[in-house]
Amino acid sequence: MHRQRVMARTLGLATAVALAATACGSQKTESTGSASTAPSASAAVTTPESSPSSDDKPAGDPSASPSASASSASPSASASASSSPSASPSVKAVMANGDDSEQVRELQARLKQLKLMSVAPTGFYGSKTTTAVKSFQSRNGLTASGSVDAETWKKIQGLTKKPTADELRPPTVNEVDAPDPRCMTGRVMCISKESRTLAWMIDGKVISTMDVRFGSENTPTREGVFDVGWKAKEWTSTIYHTPMPYAMFFSGGQAVHYSADFAARGYSGASHGCVNVRDKAKLSKLFDDVKVGDKVVVYW
């Protein structure tokens, strides 16, 4: 009986590990790579974790992501009417914190022209956008609400030019977001969804940074505080049959890993929930530095 119980536990752990290890991959099929040896039993943790958003994004909505449709019922849905005073009076916000749309992306690009934002446009109206808008309003004698009403939008448009495609979606490396307070102690992969960056930090000091992308609206990357459960220099998703080199698993089947698809297509693609990195050389060095048990913080 004792031998049967031991065998049953062993089989159960192996099954849980297999499920946790194969849940991620690129949204575009890539050639299959070789799999590494099976991870330890600690990889069987599959319960999503969440924490209150540090950027006032509504918590508890696992489907919310930067790729959400601009036709949602947010204030930005009526932004096309902003040119008409009767349709969008100055007291009504055209864009505000929490909105996610192409118009927000244009706003961010114009604010960057004014040197009020340093991060690349993301389309999500978060804390950095709110701060930049407040600064613009204060400098131009407007009510510093942090939301964009018709008067503010007209003023911004008058002082900037229509953003180019490269300004809206820069091909260059993203500028790093301000670290979340939870990243300021210990060894942390500090991952910002707003700036789409990963900062490797030790005791509050940034050691290296890199561009990242996330899951789509249907397969979002979980937000919260996690630990690196296990690592695999070579790994292949058995669900999506995509290679996941330099994988560092932090939440069930979600991992930080290199993506050839991201390197080739950039932000026109997405993962199935993992944090994709496109700079293989940087990630290789990070993989060597990160230890099992190091903290991972994913935030807005």
Side-chain angles (χ1 to χ4, degrees):
M1 288 296 292
H2 176 71
R3 181 177 179 183
Q4 290 177 337
R5 286 196 299 271
V6 170
M7 290 178 66
R9 284 197 299 269
T10 302
L11 288 172
L13 286 173
T15 300
V17 166
L19 288 172
T22 59
C24 190
S26 161
Q27 294 271 21
K28 180 181 179 181
T29 303
E30 301 166 347
S31 58
T32 303
S34 58
S36 71
T37 55
S40 65
S42 63
V45 180
T46 58
T47 303
E49 297 181 35
S50 61
S51 64
S53 167
S54 63
D55 200 21
D56 296 327
K57 185 176 181 184
D61 179 8
S63 66
S65 75
S67 60
S69 170
S71 62
S72 62
S74 67
S76 63
S78 63
S80 60
S82 63
S83 60
S84 170
S86 61
S88 183
S90 60
V91 296
K92 181 179 179 181
V94 175
M95 290 172 275
N97 194 302
D99 285 356
D100 188 356
S101 71
E102 286 303 301
Q103 190 185 28
V104 171
R105 186 183 297 278
E106 180 182 343
L107 166 68
Q108 292 167 333
R110 289 180 183 271
L111 289 170
K112 195 166 185 181
Q113 290 178 18
L114 295 168
K115 301 191 182 304
L116 292 172
M117 289 193 74
S118 59
V119 298
T122 63
F124 178 73
Y125 201 122
S127 59
K128 284 190 170 295
T129 306
T130 300
T131 299
V133 169
K134 282 184 177 180
S135 179
F136 176 84
Q137 290 168 327
S138 296
R139 293 182 186 184
N140 289 275
L142 304 170
T143 302
S145 64
S147 299
V148 178
D149 56 19
E151 184 180 6
T152 299
W153 185 225
K154 183 178 179 180
K155 189 76 171 177
I156 290 174
Q157 288 176 310
L159 294 174
T160 57
K161 60 181 178 64
K162 184 175 177 61
T164 65
D166 282 350
E167 286 179 312
L168 292 170
R169 290 177 170 80
T172 55
V173 175
N174 296 331
E175 296 182 58
V176 182
D177 199 1
D180 184 277
R182 296 168 293 180
C183 300
M184 300 308 293
T185 58
R187 298 163 55 87
V188 192
M189 284 194 282
C190 192
I191 302 170
S192 167
K193 283 188 169 183
E194 183 173 6
S195 66
R196 298 182 294 189
T197 57
L198 181 156
W200 169 234
M201 302 180 63
I202 299 179
D203 295 329
K205 181 181 178 181
V206 176
I207 307 301
S208 64
T209 63
M210 56 203 73
D211 290 353
V212 293
R213 73 176 184 183
F214 305 98
S216 67
E217 181 179 0
N218 295 323
T219 55
T221 303
R222 290 185 279 273
E223 299 158 27
V225 180
F226 312 92
D227 293 326
V228 176
W230 61 282
K231 301 164 47 179
K233 190 172 184 178
E234 295 182 8
W235 191 259
T236 300
S237 168
T238 57
I239 293 178
Y240 302 108
H241 308 293
T242 52
M244 299 165 59
Y246 301 105
M248 294 173 278
F249 288 85
F250 61 86
S251 178
Q254 295 193 351
V256 174
H257 69 83
Y258 171 72
S259 168
D261 181 69
F262 183 24
R265 293 202 296 156
Y267 292 103
S268 61
S271 75
H272 281 98
C274 284
V275 178
N276 288 167
V277 179
R278 61 181 168 191
D279 191 322
K280 195 171 187 178
K282 279 189 176 181
L283 185 61
S284 173
K285 176 65 167 60
L286 178 63
F287 183 87
D288 291 339
D289 291 345
V290 171
K291 301 176 182 178
V292 171
D294 284 347
K295 189 161 58 173
V296 180
V297 178
V298 183
Y299 67 102
W300 273 106

